Amino acid sequence: MIKTISTTPYTDQKMGTAGLRRKSKVVMQPNYVENFMQSIFNVIGNLNGKTFVVGGDGRFYNDIAIQKIIKMSAANGVSHLIIGQNGFMSTPAGSNIILKNKADGGFILSASHNPGGPNADFGIKYSNHTGGQIPSSVSDAIYQQTTKISEYKICDIPDINLSQIGHQEICGMSIDIIDPVEDYVQMMEEIFDFASIKKLFQSGFTMRFDAMNAVTGPYAQRIFEEILGAPKGSVVNYKPLPDFGGLHPDPNMVYAKELVDFMFSDNAADFGAANDGDGDRNMILGKKFFVTPSDSLAILTDNYKYIPAYKDGIYGVAKSAATSTAVEKVAQAHNIGYYEVPTGWKYFVNLMDSKRITFCGEESFGTGSAHIREKDGIWAVLFWLNIIAATNKSVEDITTEFWQKYGRNYYVRFDFEGVDTTVADKLMENIENKLPSLKGYSQEGFTVSEAFPFVYNDPVDFSSTKNGLVVKFTDGSRIVYRLSGTGSSGATIRVYLERYSLSDIKQDPLKMLTEIFKIAMSISEIPERTGKHQADVVT
Ligand code: G1P
Ligand code: ZN
């Protein structure tokens, strides 16, 4: 039943910030998934005795791609697959299943927060035994394979029924279909104080969780409604749909509009949250109040002692370079380790494995801890609920008290989307060439203190990664420029702006960043080079 099929390479199978992400129509081309998967298997080598975890966020093509992956795994000699029922599994749940079963890796079929459907995006994320996505050295080797692939192996059998939990054997490989929610719930129960969160809901506390018609619906209903007792209906858009019901499943102020409108209305719940397509991103809202992800990381870190799993102490904390420096002050105050890494969760993995950090986060609505090796949307929501239950304070009070203690890092990200890749590359090159001469440059009353490309030297594997260009000002304000690595077409220029104030904590972030925005535009020449005077998305 095992067939070897000849194929020809595709030239565009290089992974980005988080796996391979392409338009669905690109992925649907003949042998596209097959070439990519065979390249991974070729790089791993001997698959005999190996176990992998497979699942996805349920988006369009999840069901087709997963069958290909199962049949190819069997044909390539994989011994065992652990698969989420109906092919579903969130990214954080997948990381947990890899670690819990000491599996050799896993495949999550998702383009994360990108829209899904025949005219939208699909993706494949590959993790290794760490439970985290593979380092660049491995993805580079896989890319090399994709450029010379000439054949793939597949087991020629009918599609496998993924709806029944239990064990099966196909082509000499064993398969376990599992409930993708169960182990995840158990892990959350071990980390957080469920009893006190339950009491919070019993006292009449209200929440709205928007699953954005993506993978976290079943997780959220089980945890928030069934176990913790939030009123039925607290979880909305809970049914995972192949096109996310037309939603762009990115939990931010722009795309989670339904939730944002509700939380800024007079009927708002006490607490609001949303997750992205595959459940690793989170947005936190209070009544008429939004918590910037960079602040959320800092606030969670500052309040670690309220959480049973962390109360005895944490190792340290890390953030991506583009994330605001709010958490740096918390790390100093608690005298714990502090690290800055390139954008992408994979850069946190070595720091967690070597016990240098417990918490980590990115400005892009990602927060997590060493309980797994991916960011974790529901974990962040439970962390906030646990702090609220322990302190009896609102989201706004917790955040305001945090600013009173540490000052406020006003922070906004501006995305310029759909830019021609050549224009974008030239634009970045131009900024980089300017950096050495920027020191001392003054505009709008701000003076550049330092300007440099961000380079990360991993203390564990000694790899060196360059990602983003940083301009710092004498008052602590910062601009970071980088190109997105998760888009499926064209280039997105991301401009991250930050300004710190110790005592002026109640201003509008956009207003506080007006001057820095002007400076960022003149240094980068974005308006002149792209024709865009305003960003397409502001978060
Ligand atoms: C984006 C975010 C980054 C995150 C990644 C995957 O990558 O900026 O923080 O890790 O998605 O969720 P980018 O498109 O900027 O390369
Ligand atoms: Zn995601």
Side-chain angles (χ1 to χ4, degrees):
M1 278 181 288
I2 293 172
K3 288 199 171 151
T4 300
I5 316 264
S6 55
T7 185
T8 48
Y10 285 96
T11 54
D12 65 344
Q13 297 199 318
K14 199 176 173 65
M15 289 182 240
T17 311
L20 182 73
R21 220 170 275 191
R22 293 286 174 266
K23 288 277 169 231
S24 300
K25 293 244 161 80
V26 171
V27 181
M28 289 160 76
Q29 294 172 96
N31 297 344
Y32 197 89
V33 169
E34 288 85 343
N35 280 14
F36 182 66
M37 290 307 302
Q38 188 65 51
S39 300
I40 294 178
F41 289 145
N42 289 354
V43 166
I44 300 172
N46 184 8
L47 293 159
N48 192 5
K50 293 213 159 34
T51 297
F52 293 94
V53 175
V54 193
D57 64 9
R59 70 177 60 221
F60 174 81
Y61 211 59
N62 192 141
D63 51 350
I64 310 246
I66 201 166
Q67 293 289 343
K68 294 178 192 255
I69 293 173
I70 296 168
K71 293 173 195 174
M72 287 184 67
S73 300
N76 277 280
V78 170
S79 294
H80 183 204
L81 288 186
I82 304 173
I83 306 174
Q85 189 178 20
N86 296 315
F88 283 65
M89 195 176 288
S90 76
T91 289
S95 182
N96 177 43
I97 300 288
I98 293 173
L99 291 169
K100 192 167 176 175
N101 293 281
K102 298 193 167 52
D104 299 283
F107 305 100
I108 295 289
L109 311 184
S110 171
S112 188
H113 51 281
N114 295 14
N119 296 312
D121 293 357
F122 190 77
I124 302 176
K125 299 203 270 192
Y126 167 41
S127 298
N128 61 16
H129 64 282
T130 64
Q133 288 173 58
I134 47 163
S136 311
S137 53
V138 181
S139 53
D140 288 347
I142 293 167
Y143 174 61
Q144 286 312 317
Q145 272 292 313
T146 66
T147 63
K148 50 187 184 219
I149 190 99
S150 61
E151 56 181 40
Y152 67 86
K153 287 200 184 115
I154 190 153
C155 185
D156 189 13
I157 49 165
D159 280 356
I160 295 97
N161 178 358
L162 302 177
S163 67
Q164 294 303 320
I165 288 174
H167 188 83
Q168 344 176 359
E169 300 271 333
I170 60 146
C171 293
M173 174 179 77
S174 76
I175 291 179
D176 279 301
I177 296 176
I178 60 159
D179 173 354
V181 180
E182 200 173 278
D183 298 88
Y184 182 82
V185 172
Q186 196 190 332
M187 171 170 63
M188 292 299 118
E189 284 174 321
E190 283 162 14
I191 297 174
F192 297 105
D193 185 353
F194 269 44
S196 77
I197 303 175
K198 223 170 160 169
K199 273 202 203 121
L200 179 71
F201 284 117
Q202 273 163 2
S203 73
F205 183 86
T206 55
M207 96 180 254
R208 178 171 287 190
F209 179 93
D210 194 335
M212 304 193 84
N213 299 321
V215 79
T216 51
Y219 294 83
Q221 280 191 320
R222 179 105 48 110
I223 293 175
F224 301 123
E225 295 184 4
E226 289 168 29
I227 301 178
L228 293 171
K232 247 203 142 357
S234 299
V235 178
V236 299
N237 294 322
Y238 54 82
K239 197 176 178 336
L241 299 173
D243 64 347
F244 307 120
L247 291 182
H248 184 151
D250 198 358
N252 60 38
M253 297 292 273
V254 178
Y255 297 122
K257 192 174 179 313
E258 198 183 306
L259 176 71
V260 172
D261 287 348
F262 171 71
M263 287 303 295
F264 279 81
S265 77
D266 292 338
N267 310 321
D270 296 312
F271 180 78
N275 276 185
D276 74 332
D278 61 331
D280 55 359
R281 291 187 174 198
N282 74 90
M283 174 169 67
I284 303 294
L285 300 162
K287 260 189 207 282
K288 302 190 181 185
F289 193 83
F290 163 68
V291 185
T292 308
S294 298
D295 278 346
S296 181
L297 171 66
I299 292 167
L300 299 188
T301 307
D302 198 36
N303 287 291
Y304 74 83
K305 64 173 186 298
Y306 293 119
I307 311 300
Y310 310 119
K311 68 174 190 329
D312 295 334
I314 52 175
Y315 291 116
V317 63
K319 69 167 193 77
S320 65
T323 302
S324 101
T325 52
V327 73
E328 184 175 5
K329 298 172 191 75
V330 178
Q332 280 162 0
H334 290 274
N335 198 18
I336 54 172
Y338 170 74
Y339 299 84
E340 269 196 335
V341 305
T343 292
W345 210 260
K346 59 190 174 207
Y347 297 104
F348 294 128
V349 171
N350 281 342
L351 297 176
M352 291 192 258
D353 282 347
S354 61
K355 295 196 181 346
R356 284 173 164 85
I357 61 165
T358 302
F359 297 144
C360 42
E362 294 187 288
E363 51 66 42
S364 54
F365 297 79
T367 347
S369 92
H371 64 292
I372 51 169
R373 297 294 177 271
E374 291 279 5
K375 52 190 179 256
D376 190 341
I378 288 181
W379 172 89
V381 175
L382 284 167
F383 203 138
W384 269 94
L385 287 172
N386 200 149
I387 297 172
I388 294 167
T391 59
N392 226 341
K393 288 177 185 159
S394 69
V395 172
E396 179 165 2
D397 288 347
I398 292 166
T399 310
T400 308
E401 283 174 24
F402 174 83
W403 291 334
Q404 282 161 350
K405 193 160 142 198
Y406 291 101
R408 180 169 176 188
N409 290 74
Y410 290 93
Y411 182 90
V412 178
R413 182 176 104 185
F414 300 81
D415 291 337
F416 298 84
E417 297 183 336
V419 179
D420 179 85
T421 43
T422 322
V423 171
D425 288 341
K426 282 223 177 94
L427 184 144
M428 290 298 288
E429 197 187 310
N430 180 53
I431 306 173
E432 189 166 353
N433 290 339
K434 274 187 190 176
L435 294 178
S437 64
L438 281 179
K439 194 176 168 167
Y441 172 81
S442 262
Q443 193 186 329
E444 317 283 334
F446 291 82
T447 305
V448 175
S449 58
E450 274 179 284
F452 52 90
F454 176 75
V455 177
Y456 177 62
N457 296 312
D458 189 302
V460 178
D461 67 16
F462 305 115
S463 63
S464 186
T465 308
K466 196 167 118 183
N467 189 292
L469 307 171
V470 185
V471 180
K472 280 190 180 172
F473 297 86
T474 48
D475 73 330
S477 298
R478 301 193 318 154
I479 304 171
V480 178
Y481 301 96
R482 54 179 289 283
L483 294 184
S484 160
T486 57
S488 57
S489 62
T492 293
I493 305 164
R494 301 206 197 281
V495 182
Y496 310 81
L497 304 186
E498 176 179 358
R499 180 175 172 188
Y500 175 68
S501 176
L502 180 59
S503 51
D504 196 6
I505 57 169
K506 288 270 179 171
Q507 298 297 329
D508 170 29
L510 280 175
K511 220 175 116 209
M512 288 296 276
L513 293 164
T514 312
E515 292 88 2
I516 308 280
F517 180 80
K518 280 190 195 150
I519 304 169
M521 290 305 99
S522 50
I523 291 175
S524 63
E525 302 165 20
I526 287 176
E528 296 83 346
R529 287 169 181 265
T530 68
K532 290 175 187 276
H533 292 266
Q534 291 303 326
D536 297 283
V537 180
V538 178
T539 47

